[in-house]
């Protein structure tokens, strides 16, 4: 088992912030891509938001230009996509052992936020008549603690990640420690065989009908992904994980504040490039709903989990 690195010291943070401040200007924004092929989501396919808990912060801590007096709830949970060919759970939210799991978070995060568990995703699924055994997979947008904590309740469910993210989990990087410690026996690496999609060079059409298309968005972590989801009612969503913490990150676009991104984004310039690509995709698809993993305002607009 690899030994995991500690999180950045204050000196390392100062150096990282200084380097970020001196970084060259970003390249020109990417052009607006061509619209993707028409999706064919089957009747009966649904998308459901399943919040498991939250933390409290501000817009000023979420994206450049945000106000410190603009209070924001940072939700944590999962998005269930129920397709006739399979049920995909995007991320896992908080687990029952959240207190212990939070001890693997960066020290500065432990000092500044207090995550609150309301109900684990697995318990909400069970109450809705969706046993864990019925899931095709948990699809991680990335492998940080607040996205994998709830995996403790899915001991037999396959966990899908790109190879780059599995390598990250198996590395000695402290920010992937919980994902590794919870066990990787169920992790399954996948690739992106389906060519360009909305400005991204590679993609994976999960069900072959355009209803769920995964694209690589490396930056926040080496194997971060976004998921474009089209539902039978004509709505289109993109689950962006932590490439942006709040919708403004994609809509403006705007990076995370300098200190935050120096601490949590493995590759700041790459994260910014992904934000620009997602912004361009939103321009190409009118009505595309941007769903960051932690924007409570957006999650409240999504369909809730329905009891069977």
């Amino acid at each position: 088992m690899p030994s995991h690195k500690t999180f950045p010291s204050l000196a390392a943070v100062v150096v990282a912030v200084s380097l970020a401040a001196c970084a060259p200007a970003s390249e020109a924004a990417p052009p607006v891509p061509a619209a993707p092929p028409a999706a064919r989501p089957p009747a009966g396919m649904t998308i459901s938001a399943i919040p498991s808990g939250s933390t409290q912060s501000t817009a000023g801590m979420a994206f450049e230009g945000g106000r410190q007096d603009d209070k924001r709830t940072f939700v944590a949970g999962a998005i269930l996509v129920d397709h006739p060919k399979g049920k995909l759970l995007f991320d896992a939210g908080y687990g029952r052992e959240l207190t212990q799991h939070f001890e693997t978070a960066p020290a500065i995060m432990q000092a500044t936020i207090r995550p609150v568990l309301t109900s684990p995703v697995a318990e909400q699924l069970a109450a809705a008549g969706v046993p864990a055994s019925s899931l095709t997979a948990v699809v991680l947008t990335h492998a940080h603690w607040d996205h994998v904590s709830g995996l403790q309740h899915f001991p037999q469910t396959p966990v899908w990640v790109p190879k780059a993210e599995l390598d990250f989990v198996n590395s000695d990087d402290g920010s992937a420690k919980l994902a590794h410690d919870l066990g990787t026996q169920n992790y399954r690496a996948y690739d992106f065989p389906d060519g360009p999609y909305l400005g991204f060079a590679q993609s994976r059409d999960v069900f072959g009908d355009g209803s769920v298309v995964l694209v690589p968005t490396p930056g926040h972590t080496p194997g971060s992904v976004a998921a474009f989801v089209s539902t039978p009612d004509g709505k289109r969503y993109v689950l962006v994980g932590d490439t942006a913490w709040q919708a403004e990150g994609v809509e403006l676009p705007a990076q995370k504040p300098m200190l935050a991104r120096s601490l949590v984004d493995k590759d700041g310039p790459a994260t910014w490039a992904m934000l620009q690509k997602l912004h361009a995709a939103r321009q190409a698809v009118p009505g595309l709903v941007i769903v960051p993993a932690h924007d409570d305002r957006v999650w409240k607009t999504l369909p809730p989990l329905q009891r069977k």
Side-chain angles (χ1 to χ4, degrees), residues 9-169:
S9 65
L10 178 59
V13 170
V14 171
V15 170
V17 171
S18 299
L19 290 174
C22 297
S26 301
E27 296 181 358
V32 176
R40 305 179 307 280
M45 175 186 168
T46 60
I47 185 171
S48 305
I50 314 173
S52 64
S54 63
T55 62
Q56 300 301 314
S57 190
T58 68
M61 295 297 291
F63 59 92
E64 285 188 337
R67 301 195 320 271
Q68 292 295 345
D69 63 351
D70 184 356
K71 304 299 182 184
R72 298 289 176 95
T73 295
F74 279 46
V75 68
I79 304 289
L80 176 66
V81 174
D82 191 344
H83 188 284
K85 292 183 179 179
K87 295 181 175 67
L88 301 179
L89 189 70
F90 286 88
D91 294 328
Y94 294 160
R96 277 288 171 201
E97 296 179 18
L98 173 62
T99 299
Q100 294 92 320
H101 294 171
F102 188 49
E103 293 174 358
T104 69
I108 192 169
M109 190 174 290
Q110 294 184 51
T112 56
I113 65 171
R114 289 290 177 269
V116 175
L117 172 69
T118 50
S119 178
V121 169
E123 294 181 10
Q124 295 182 62
L125 287 170
V130 184
S133 60
S134 71
L135 297 177
T136 300
V138 175
V139 185
L140 295 181
T141 60
H142 65 290
H144 281 162
W145 70 273
D146 49 336
H147 297 254
V148 304
S149 173
L151 287 179
Q152 70 172 113
H153 305 299
F154 300 97
Q156 306 300 323
T157 305
V159 179
W160 291 359
V161 290
K163 183 180 183 303
E165 197 70 355
L166 185 55
D167 290 344
F168 171 60
V169 170

Side-chain angles (χ1 to χ4, degrees), residues 218-296:
H220 183 63
T221 64
S224 289
V225 300
F228 289 89
V229 180
S230 300
T231 51
D233 57 4
K235 293 185 178 178
R236 305 189 79 152
Y237 307 86
V238 58
L239 316 183
V240 305
D242 281 11
T243 297
W245 281 336
Q246 300 278 284
E248 289 91 342
V250 173
E251 292 169 354
L252 293 175
Q255 302 181 85
K256 300 179 184 76
M258 187 181 296
L259 177 59
R261 66 179 184 263
S262 71
L263 288 170
V264 304
D265 290 340
K266 288 301 170 188
D267 186 332
T271 307
W272 174 233
M274 293 303 107
L275 282 171
Q276 290 179 303
K277 283 180 177 287
L278 290 164
H279 177 75
R282 180 173 179 263
Q283 292 177 293
V285 181
L288 180 66
V289 179
I290 307 300
V291 186
H294 300 301
D295 195 330
D296 182 64

